[in-house]
Amino acid sequence: MRLRKESPAKRFVYELNKKYKLINLYHNPSPLKESVEHLQAFSRDDQIQVMKIMLEGMVKHVKATNDPDFGGFGGLVWDRENWGRFSLQMHIVGELVPVAKPDANDSAFLLRCTTECGYPDLHFVPYLRPLVSLNLKDWEQRSASEELREALWELVRAFKKLDNDRETKLAFEIEHCLTDGRVVPMTRGEAWSDDALDDLESIGEPDATE
């Protein structure tokens, strides 16, 4: 991705990284509020570029520093020197997604950055659910993008590796769109899938009194 040397997006991210590093949003949420307010004056294209630059930066950092046995966003949490600024950036992306509404190809770029980082636990990646929701809600208009389709399939595969209820449920929702509503095979082992399969198996069973 090529940008002008002094583009507003590049300059914003540079200043943000310089200003906020050791930050805890739980105790001090004001940097998030101030950043989002500042970005409201940006054009939609510049807002999308901000998101791309932030996630590209995280990918480079993760690939350069994370433990291969526990990498990605899961490992980034333990990076005390950098987690604060990356957490701020991910929350900024989450706030920008419903405002800038990245199109199918831009969404594909952001999703690929996410899966490249690895370990996309929804608890650690606050922008991911709104980004997925944006594309699924507008799936009829976005489904023609092969880039988006492939990026979503990659995310589904990454979610299934995590083997957590919340990610598996979202993976199922994504698959439902990608397969045009066809039934996606489920396996037992998670609370949500066990309940769903129990419901399916009970359909058509004769009443015990008959």
Side-chain angles (χ1 to χ4, degrees):
M1 180 181 59
R2 295 182 179 179
L3 296 172
R4 301 187 309 275
K5 186 176 180 180
E6 295 296 329
S7 69
K10 189 171 184 179
R11 187 163 55 250
F12 172 82
V13 177
Y14 173 79
E15 294 294 336
L16 193 76
N17 282 329
K18 187 169 66 172
K19 186 175 181 180
Y20 300 114
K21 194 169 186 179
L22 297 175
I23 180 176
N24 187 322
L25 287 178
Y26 180 79
H27 296 293
N28 181 20
S30 59
L32 174 59
K33 181 181 179 181
E34 293 168 5
S35 298
V36 171
E37 288 177 352
H38 182 76
L39 287 166
Q40 289 177 354
F42 280 38
S43 69
R44 175 180 175 273
D45 287 344
D46 283 333
Q47 290 174 343
I48 291 172
Q49 290 302 328
V50 165
M51 292 190 280
K52 287 183 174 182
I53 295 169
M54 287 178 169
L55 296 197
E56 271 190 324
M58 272 184 277
V59 170
K60 291 177 182 177
H61 179 81
V62 165
K63 287 185 174 180
T65 63
N66 266 1
D67 182 341
D69 294 326
F70 186 61
F73 292 102
L76 194 59
V77 173
W78 301 103
D79 184 347
R80 293 183 179 181
E81 291 186 6
N82 296 283
W83 170 247
R85 68 185 175 96
F86 285 135
S87 177
L88 172 60
Q89 290 179 19
M90 286 189 285
H91 278 87
I92 289 173
V93 172
E95 294 290 331
L96 286 179
V97 164
V99 175
K101 292 183 172 59
D103 64 19
N105 291 336
D106 288 329
S107 293
F109 180 94
L110 299 174
L111 289 168
R112 283 197 305 272
C113 286
T114 305
T115 52
E116 278 188 58
C117 274
Y119 204 84
D121 188 308
L122 292 170
H123 180 70
F124 300 140
V125 192
Y127 66 82
L128 193 47
R129 190 182 292 277
L131 180 59
V132 170
S133 297
L134 171 73
N135 286 281
L136 297 191
K137 287 178 180 178
D138 196 24
W139 186 244
E140 187 174 339
Q141 284 71 39
R142 294 169 178 256
S143 60
S145 170
E146 289 300 322
E147 284 189 61
L148 179 59
R149 282 180 169 274
E150 182 52 37
L152 285 169
W153 276 122
E154 289 177 8
L155 183 62
V156 166
R157 291 189 284 270
F159 276 162
K160 289 185 175 181
K161 286 181 180 179
L162 294 180
D163 198 26
N164 294 332
D165 280 1
R166 58 179 174 266
E167 287 79 20
T168 304
K169 183 177 180 180
L170 186 53
F172 182 74
E173 293 174 14
I174 296 170
E175 284 183 305
H176 184 78
C177 282
L178 289 170
T179 58
D180 298 321
R182 295 192 298 273
V183 175
V184 179
M186 290 183 289
T187 57
R188 291 188 177 275
E190 298 293 340
W192 77 271
S193 58
D194 289 347
D195 290 344
L197 287 169
D198 287 342
D199 289 341
L200 288 172
E201 291 171 0
S202 68
I203 296 174
E205 289 184 357
D207 191 285
T209 60
E210 293 181 354

